[in-house]
Amino acid sequence: MATFLAFSLPLATLTLSLLLLFHSSAATPRKLIQVQQQPVILKYHKGPLLTGNITVNFLWYGRFSATQRSIVADFLLSLSAASPPPPPSAASWWRTTALYGGSFPRLSLGRQLLDDRLSLGKSLSPSHLSLLASKPGTSPADINVVLTSADVAVDGFCSSRCGTHGPLPGSAGFIWTGDSEVQCPGQCAWPFHQPLYGPQTPPLVAPNGDVGMDGVIINLATLLAGLVTNPNGNGYFQGPADAPLEAVSACTGIFGSGAYPGYPGLVLVDKTSGASYNARGLDGRKYLLPAMWDPKTSQCSTLV
């Protein structure tokens, strides 16, 4: 296990409640402990990064409505949109990855496969995830994403992780995350649900009206940024290679300026729905995206 402090303000010497992470290249649940603030410095370990044109394929495992699938597909398309909405936007958030070196990683939406009959059952192991990730086919410029529905249990889900990324032979890598609304929304869909631990502040209203899928967006964003900046375990990260803090996981819990443990920071609020967001997407979509470490400033950078 590794403890860390991530924030967007200059370093201070105060002792604050902070987040405990359990797993390496993973989007993780949050517990609050007392630790001394430490600088957020992601070291570059001289390995390759993912750059250029990248196709993202999806394997939907379990039952997802067309509306739920469109939330995720629209987010992916918003990251590298040719004509994005004005900042703050999902595209301006994703452009931070270009600061890590190399050419801008431009994502496009590829194949989408449905496995709503749960071909491997409702309880999945890591080997099951790798098998599912290979189903859309592999190509060196492809990232395959496995998304599991709310009724599917995955080893470590909720207890130690909200998702993960890893290698997949013949591809650029794979990502898994799941809908946590039923199993652990306080851990994997915060701040759209009260946290399991720590200050019980009121939850924010999910911008797409779906706590589980808006939580998926946060975790998918975390893992996409981690994968392109640390695809082989020798890119940008802090801490041990088997439990690294990456581009976004080093900034867990920060969504706006002034964030502190239990408070996501200053975000925008839709005047009609009351939903909280910090990024605009295509077709009027709104998303709440986590802070990303900026290698130019060595700080966790927020959109608002």
Side-chain angles (χ1 to χ4, degrees):
M1 289 186 290
T3 56
F4 77 103
L5 172 59
F7 53 97
S8 57
L9 300 178
L11 295 178
T13 57
L14 299 177
T15 299
L16 294 177
S17 297
L18 280 189
L19 306 169
L20 179 61
L21 289 187
F22 294 87
H23 191 265
S24 57
S25 6
T28 59
R30 294 165 278 276
K31 289 186 178 181
L32 299 179
I33 58 174
Q34 292 286 328
V35 298
Q36 187 73 21
Q37 289 188 358
Q38 299 295 327
V40 181
I41 302 294
L42 302 192
K43 181 181 178 181
Y44 179 44
H45 295 79
K46 307 303 181 182
L49 310 179
L50 295 185
T51 60
N53 296 324
I54 300 169
T55 299
V56 181
N57 306 309
F58 286 92
L59 187 284
W60 299 88
Y61 191 78
R63 292 188 178 276
F64 292 89
S65 69
T67 298
Q68 289 177 317
R69 296 196 302 271
S70 68
I71 292 170
V72 175
D74 287 349
F75 168 66
L76 192 284
L77 292 170
S78 296
L79 292 177
S80 299
S83 300
S89 67
S92 61
W93 178 85
W94 184 246
R95 278 197 291 270
T96 302
T97 61
L99 302 178
Y100 284 72
S103 62
F104 178 66
R106 184 171 297 279
L107 306 181
S108 62
L109 181 62
R111 297 175 294 280
Q112 297 194 65
L113 276 64
L114 306 182
D115 189 346
D116 54 5
R117 295 188 177 183
L118 302 170
S119 60
L120 299 180
K122 287 190 174 184
S123 182
L124 303 180
S125 67
S127 61
H128 288 142
L129 295 177
S130 296
L131 181 60
L132 291 171
S134 67
K135 285 194 172 186
T138 58
S139 168
D142 283 6
I143 293 173
N144 289 353
V145 178
V146 177
L147 297 179
T148 49
S149 59
D151 58 343
V152 174
V154 177
D155 284 355
F157 189 40
C158 300
S159 63
S160 63
R161 57 182 180 168
C162 300
T164 192
H165 74 75
L168 181 67
S171 78
F174 87 96
I175 286 171
W176 157 73
T177 188
D179 183 342
S180 65
E181 185 169 12
V182 173
Q183 299 180 51
C184 55
Q187 292 162 283
C188 295
W190 185 85
F192 304 125
H193 191 281
Q194 286 187 304
L196 185 61
Y197 305 96
Q200 297 298 300
T201 53
L204 303 183
V205 177
N208 293 285
D210 189 317
V211 168
M213 297 313 294
D214 278 299
V216 162
I217 295 299
I218 292 172
N219 296 319
L220 179 59
T222 299
L223 295 163
L224 280 169
L227 181 53
V228 300
T229 58
N230 187 32
N232 301 319
N234 55 3
Y236 280 88
F237 65 89
Q238 180 189 66
D242 60 349
L245 299 179
E246 298 177 327
V248 176
S249 60
C251 303
T252 296
I254 301 173
F255 295 89
S257 59
Y260 55 83
Y263 171 61
L266 181 66
V267 297
L268 303 174
V269 177
D270 185 278
K271 294 180 179 180
T272 301
S273 67
S276 295
Y277 70 100
N278 60 9
R280 301 180 182 92
L282 296 178
D283 297 326
R285 289 284 191 189
K286 294 180 173 67
Y287 300 103
L288 186 68
L289 300 180
M292 190 186 308
W293 186 75
D294 185 332
K296 300 299 184 183
T297 63
S298 295
Q299 293 184 352
C300 290
S301 176
T302 61
L303 288 170
V304 294

